[in-house]
Amino acid sequence: MTLHRQQTVTLAAILALTLAACAHAPGEGGAASATLQRTANGVAHISAPDAETLAYGMAYAYAQDNVCMTANQLVTVRGERARYFGAATPGLLARRMLPNEQIDFFIAAHMDDAALARHWQGAGAETQALARGAVAGYNRYLADHAGRLPAACQGQPWVQPMTLADYRRQAELTAVQAATAALADALLAAKPPAPAQAAAPPALDLADAGAALRELGLLDSPLGSNAWAFGKEVTADGRGLLLGNPHFPWAGVNRFWQAHLTIPGELDVMGVAIGNFPAVTIGFNKDVAWSHTVSTGKRFTLHELSLVPGEPTRYLLDGQPVAMTQRELQIQVRAADGSLQTRKQSVWSTRWGPVLVLPRAGLLWTAKTAYALKDANLGNVRGTEAAMGFGRARSVQDIQQALKNLGTPWVNTLAVDRHGQALYADASVVPDVDAAQLQRCAPGKAAAALLPAAGLVVLDGSRSDCDWQRDPASPQPGLMPVARMPMAVRSDWVHNSNDSFYYTHPQQRWSGISPLVGDASLTRARTRAGLSEIPALLARGKLTAQAVQGQLFENRNFMAGVVLPDLLAACAGQPPASAEARDGCAALQGWDRRSDLGSRGAHLFREFWRNARAIPGVHRLPFDPAQPVATPAGLRLDDGAVAAKLWEALAQAVKAVRGAGFALDAPLAQVQRPLITDAAIGLHGGEDYEGVLNNLGNQFAPGIGAQGLRIDYGSSYIQTVGFDARGPVAQAILTYGQSTDPASPHAFDQLRLFEAKQWPSLPFHAEDVAKARVGEVLRLSRP
């Protein structure tokens, strides 16, 4: 069945078409069938004879739990949010909330269905089969449940069947969310300077440039994770043992969903997928287990354009003028009276990519200079192939082989196998630019300063020889090949908490790695926590899964150990003048320095350190790369100016906590609750900047409000995987649950498990699945 996005297809029509195609009973007429079973907490187990039917069953099962979320995301990738939900209403684009009108214009500017189709023509046969199956499975669910969808989308005109073009757009948006999509409003804001515009640009504030990039999620990405991989030297049974602890949003299409996928004799893999991705992204099979963490690699470069004098839409390349390309976009916007209006906007692009402006970073379009963006993940259709390679792996060497196609767009990979090997690899998508080229192709002085200050790589865009290198060893021209990316196999341990490869293991040494992959800077307190807690864990003896689980859920607040001794000593020696600060001192004196359910005062420290950490020169000891665990440390309370700011930060934290209606020494369980439900579920864990490994936070509204700390981000799919003679031994919690439908029994059932620190065992072997099955077996015949 072929559907074009421009057509209006009603659910009644899709019902008729699908039922006509599926008129035979399950299994009749030689049709391939997928078998769907559910076990505790709604975990889906799907088996099918081939890849297309497997994706068909998986998409159907995913829609059972998340059909309205999927339908809403399809509105996004079609560029129709303003048409259905209003222009000014905010919507989610990748990792940020933007007005729907901006989202639609970005989609119109970025998505090129013909180009995406060409990219997909180069994908393998299995990848294309999985895509077809995913589309058909979702549409089958809509057909089967026409008139009976969940309340959030029942009867809504925006619920439409999915097309292959829609599916490709979803995949593209996922791939570019760490680059182009994060800069959507910057691309739309790019306009040629007015002829009379001659004033000098304002002086660049590098600190504010860094802050701007953090707000965009491009510096110190809000998406984080921990992963620990232990080898045979340190495990009790001499086999591999993995802890995966990704920190992702609890709402939107970056939510994880648990699935077990089987093609008898070919594939048997379990774990989680994201959105409508038709494969396991983090998980395990009988021989290997793996997890991912967002890496420090750069996903794009900016190119500084030298403009032709008097012609701001023409730039010089190798001394020759080149015209920018202007495109006029148009979208449909729903007016207050319900009518549709057409709005238009122009965007500009170059041979490097779209022009953008980001004033806080000094990236302006002037009469002399403009900036263009080149995204390394454009058209990346290789992720499915990589994930299926992981699913079929029999050793960490097979994982390494699966990484060679450069399909993982923006993550590190950590893995173990039953033989006791542990792998770390940042074999992600990174432009092939080395340190020498960074110097040779340096832009103007101000733009060059953006790399250390804001993480932005800007190259000279007036020279074609400043384009990305094209190493014959790379399967993708312009991308760094795996041979020049950091990768290590060890028999003791490796870890990552979103700082660079440099901190994989204290004895691991690296050389010749491009700065675009990472460097020796350390920005995450969780990295310091991991480098502290892993040795402490190993000092207690050979490791078991239960020991690793207990370590994660001890919820130590690393930064409390770093700064609180100095603060409390000052509280006792020379109490602050402010009554609020003195009350804060008293409350923190009784805190156990953990972010656990019963920890009293954890919320007060969070509010204090949220602001105090930004005080210039706040630490008594500065960072020393040779001592990444021990530094920076302490508080510079002997400096009067710093001390005054610290006491003010503590006083303000006290006022914020009391203003929200909470006692300073309230247990964290009373203060920290999930955003997805009003149920009285207390949550343990702390913020990234506190160095709590079990990371929980509020992505869009930091601080304690009247509702408390309402969590919508952080520890999501938490798994430990080891091996016995039969295969994997896995326990895992999907913290929020399988479904986004509030009426589902699996909307937040696993939050109760998370609250109680209970790790369900996952049934993997067929006989175990049969014993654990809940409900009836569903067989779905694919037309």
Side-chain angles (χ1 to χ4, degrees):
M1 176 171 55
T2 302
L3 299 170
H4 298 286
R5 189 174 64 85
Q6 293 82 2
Q7 293 177 322
T8 299
V9 183
T10 66
L11 283 181
I14 187 67
L15 173 64
L17 287 168
T18 304
L19 291 183
C22 304
H24 53 270
E28 289 184 0
S33 295
T35 300
L36 168 61
Q37 304 176 78
R38 299 273 185 165
T39 54
N41 308 119
V43 176
H45 302 256
I46 303 112
S47 179
D50 57 78
E52 187 166 347
T53 310
L54 184 71
Y56 183 82
M58 183 181 182
Y60 191 99
Y62 185 77
Q64 288 179 320
D65 294 327
N66 299 295
V67 63
C68 293
M69 183 179 72
T70 300
N72 191 291
Q73 178 68 359
L74 290 175
V75 177
T76 297
V77 299
R78 290 167 180 152
E80 296 178 342
R81 297 196 64 81
R83 174 177 183 168
Y84 290 108
F85 307 135
T89 304
L92 182 64
L93 178 70
R95 308 173 186 175
R96 298 173 58 213
M97 299 297 289
L98 293 172
N100 285 329
E101 180 177 7
Q102 285 196 346
I103 294 175
D104 289 351
F105 273 127
F106 169 74
I107 293 296
H110 181 80
M111 297 297 179
D112 182 335
D113 289 331
L116 288 175
R118 289 193 296 271
H119 288 300
W120 277 86
Q121 286 174 1
E126 182 174 71
T127 294
Q128 298 197 45
L130 288 165
R132 292 192 302 270
V135 171
Y138 173 76
N139 291 343
R140 167 70 182 272
Y141 181 84
L142 289 186
D144 285 356
H145 295 82
R148 297 182 293 116
L149 295 177
C153 58
Q154 171 57 35
Q156 297 298 323
W158 44 268
V159 179
Q160 297 290 327
M162 187 189 302
T163 68
L164 271 174
D166 295 334
Y167 177 89
R168 293 166 182 156
R169 286 179 171 218
Q170 289 183 97
E172 173 75 357
L173 187 55
T174 297
V176 302
Q177 66 176 305
T180 308
L183 291 161
D185 43 350
L187 307 183
L188 297 173
K191 295 178 176 59
Q197 185 177 328
L204 177 61
D205 182 339
L206 289 175
D208 189 53
L213 270 294
R214 285 187 180 88
E215 291 169 14
L216 293 172
L218 294 175
L219 181 63
D220 304 334
S221 169
L223 293 186
S225 305
N226 307 306
W228 296 355
F230 299 102
K232 58 187 176 183
E233 288 185 27
V234 299
T235 59
D237 59 9
R239 297 185 171 103
L241 175 62
L242 179 84
L243 168 70
N245 176 213
H247 306 149
F248 267 57
W250 288 14
V253 292
N254 277 323
R255 279 174 52 112
F256 291 113
W257 181 76
Q258 289 179 279
H260 179 190
L261 307 178
T262 304
I263 302 175
E266 291 187 30
L267 178 75
D268 196 8
V269 60
M270 191 171 186
V272 287
I274 286 183
N276 290 286
F277 187 71
V280 167
T281 55
I282 291 175
F284 56 90
N285 62 28
K286 72 181 185 67
D287 296 304
V288 300
W290 69 94
S291 194
H292 295 301
T293 63
V294 174
S295 91
T296 55
K298 306 300 182 186
R299 313 305 164 192
F300 66 93
T301 55
L302 298 177
H303 298 258
E304 188 174 67
L305 308 176
S306 297
L307 303 181
V308 175
E311 299 183 74
T313 61
R314 283 158 59 87
Y315 59 100
L316 295 171
L317 185 65
D318 299 330
Q320 299 300 311
V322 180
M324 295 180 184
T325 300
Q326 180 184 14
R327 284 194 299 138
E328 186 175 83
L329 314 173
Q330 63 180 39
I331 63 170
Q332 296 292 304
V333 174
R334 188 189 66 197
D337 63 0
S339 63
L340 292 180
Q341 300 174 351
T342 299
R343 293 187 185 175
K344 299 180 179 181
Q345 178 173 336
S346 290
V347 291
W348 298 81
S349 61
T350 70
R351 67 154 285 173
W352 305 109
V355 180
L356 58 74
V357 296
L358 195 60
R360 290 173 63 189
L363 301 175
L364 304 172
W365 190 347
T366 69
K368 295 181 178 180
T369 308
Y371 296 88
L373 178 149
K374 185 173 182 179
D375 190 333
N377 271 306
L378 291 178
N380 181 358
V381 301
R382 305 176 300 277
T384 304
E385 181 182 351
M388 294 297 280
F390 290 178
R392 292 187 170 105
R394 295 293 172 257
S395 66
V396 297
Q397 285 76 22
D398 288 346
I399 296 286
Q400 289 176 295
Q401 188 65 34
L403 288 166
K404 288 184 177 180
N405 77 337
L406 300 176
T408 54
W410 28 262
V411 291
N412 300 293
T413 301
L414 289 92
V416 299
D417 61 29
R418 64 166 46 255
H419 312 294
Q421 302 177 100
L423 167 73
Y424 164 82
D426 187 351
S428 56
V429 171
V430 176
D432 195 350
V433 176
D434 58 21
Q437 186 177 348
L438 281 176
Q439 291 188 343
R440 178 174 59 84
C441 294
K445 183 177 179 180
L450 291 172
L451 179 55
L456 283 178
V457 177
V458 187
L459 302 174
D460 184 349
S462 69
R463 297 161 49 191
S464 59
D465 67 347
C466 287
D467 199 353
W468 303 343
Q469 301 174 46
R470 300 171 74 89
D471 188 333
S474 176
Q476 301 298 322
L479 301 188
M480 202 168 295
V482 168
R484 290 195 278 114
M485 299 287 283
M487 194 174 294
V489 176
R490 301 181 64 94
S491 56
D492 49 4
W493 59 273
V494 292
H495 91 128
N496 185 268
S497 291
N498 308 118
D499 280 302
S500 86
F501 60 89
Y502 193 88
Y503 296 100
T504 298
H505 186 283
Q507 277 75 55
Q508 187 68 41
R509 298 292 178 260
W510 309 93
S511 63
I513 307 295
S514 167
L516 268 70
V517 182
D519 57 29
S521 61
L522 193 156
T523 62
R524 305 280 188 172
R526 283 184 292 104
T527 299
R528 299 176 68 188
L531 290 171
S532 170
E533 294 200 30
I534 290 173
L537 180 62
L538 294 174
R540 298 199 291 271
K542 297 282 188 176
L543 297 187
T544 64
Q546 289 68 36
V548 172
Q549 293 168 6
Q551 190 77 20
L552 178 68
F553 280 171
E554 282 186 353
N555 293 307
R556 288 191 176 94
N557 192 304
F558 182 83
M559 290 309 299
V562 170
V563 303
L564 202 56
D566 281 5
L567 185 71
L568 294 181
C571 287
Q574 189 173 359
S578 162
E580 288 88 358
R582 291 196 300 273
D583 289 345
C585 286
L588 291 175
Q589 182 69 51
W591 176 40
D592 63 8
R593 303 186 192 182
R594 299 190 181 198
S595 296
D596 218 344
L597 291 172
S599 296
R600 294 180 175 273
H603 57 300
L604 175 61
F605 179 80
R606 178 182 297 190
E607 292 307 296
F608 162 68
W609 193 241
R610 185 192 304 279
N611 296 318
R613 65 195 174 108
I615 297 171
V618 68
H619 288 291
R620 175 168 42 82
L621 295 174
F623 174 62
D624 178 358
Q627 301 182 77
V629 176
T631 61
L635 295 173
R636 195 146 62 96
L637 285 155
D638 59 352
D639 182 309
V642 172
K645 292 177 181 178
L646 283 166
W647 295 129
E648 176 60 21
L650 183 56
Q652 290 300 321
V654 168
K655 292 176 182 177
V657 170
R658 286 173 169 164
F662 295 96
L664 301 182
D665 63 348
L668 187 61
Q670 290 183 6
V671 183
Q672 187 160 266
R673 299 288 178 86
L675 183 62
I676 60 175
T677 175
D678 289 329
I681 300 174
L683 299 178
H684 51 94
E687 277 280 13
D688 181 81
Y689 56 78
E690 298 178 281
V692 182
L693 291 168
N694 177 25
N695 175 216
L696 296 182
N698 188 316
Q699 203 174 13
F700 301 114
I704 297 179
Q707 299 287 319
L709 293 163
R710 298 304 292 264
I711 301 302
D712 64 359
Y713 167 86
S715 291
S716 43
Y717 173 68
I718 317 172
Q719 67 171 11
T720 58
V721 185
F723 302 91
D724 62 15
R726 295 176 70 211
V729 179
Q731 290 90 34
I733 311 170
L734 183 65
T735 51
Y736 33 71
Q738 288 278 79
S739 179
T740 49
D741 177 7
S744 168
H746 306 303
F748 53 88
D749 55 334
Q750 293 194 60
L751 276 171
R752 300 285 188 191
L753 301 176
F754 179 70
E755 178 186 41
K757 301 183 181 179
Q758 295 177 2
W759 296 68
S761 294
L762 300 182
F764 179 80
H765 303 285
E767 58 270 28
D768 296 334
V769 173
K771 291 177 183 177
R773 188 178 69 237
V774 176
E776 297 298 318
V777 177
L778 178 64
R779 293 189 65 218
L780 297 163
S781 293
R782 179 173 63 84

